[in-house]
Amino acid sequence: QVQLEESGGGLVQAGGSLRLSCAASERTFSSYHMGWFRQAPEKEREFVAAIKWSGAVTYYADSVKGRFTISRDNAKNTVYLQMNSLKPEDTAVYYCAARPSTEVVSTTPRAYMYWGQGTQVTVSS
């Protein structure tokens, strides 16, 4: 069982930046691909970014490409999401999720086994 805890959300003006963190309880953190997803009110949960267990490969949704950066520190059991040039449409609850590295990296929420509780990001115009 992997426990994930997000932090770093908050209220920011459009054009601003936030850095989300997701700390994992599992010492074998490097055995998991990690993903960030978000869900706005009355919308489906959607893919934001993912990173391979090694950190060598990253994936991004088109809507955040060039503005967001996913990274991980396996020594600290933590994955990050640096969000720059934020827009009001980025407002959502952001979740991190873990998928065993025995599987391929996925952009589909249902492919991820473990989830954090989420952190709210609100971007004002």
Side-chain angles (χ1 to χ4, degrees), residues 30-47:
S30 60
S31 298
Y32 295 88
H33 307 310
M34 298 299 296
W36 284 99
F37 295 81
R38 66 187 181 187
Q39 188 166 17
E42 301 182 0
K43 290 192 175 181
E44 298 275 325
R45 189 167 297 189
E46 66 174 4
F47 169 73

Side-chain angles (χ1 to χ4, degrees), residues 37 46-50 59-60 99 104-112:
F37 295 81
E46 66 174 4
F47 169 73
V48 175
Y59 306 81
Y60 296 95
R99 174 171 168 81
V104 298
V105 179
S106 175
T107 61
T108 303
R110 64 176 181 273
Y112 285 76

Side-chain angles (χ1 to χ4, degrees), residues 28-87:
T28 57
F29 176 69
S30 60
S31 298
Y32 295 88
H33 307 310
M34 298 299 296
W36 284 99
F37 295 81
R38 66 187 181 187
Q39 188 166 17
E42 301 182 0
K43 290 192 175 181
E44 298 275 325
R45 189 167 297 189
E46 66 174 4
F47 169 73
V48 175
I51 187 165
K52 195 173 178 179
W53 66 271
S54 62
V57 184
T58 57
Y59 306 81
Y60 296 95
D62 289 342
S63 58
V64 307
K65 204 171 292 184
R67 300 188 298 122
F68 291 10
T69 302
I70 187 171
S71 62
R72 66 189 296 161
D73 185 339
N74 286 344
K76 294 183 178 180
N77 294 351
T78 302
V79 62
Y80 305 97
L81 185 68
Q82 177 67 44
M83 306 186 295
N84 299 329
S85 302
L86 283 160
K87 305 175 181 180

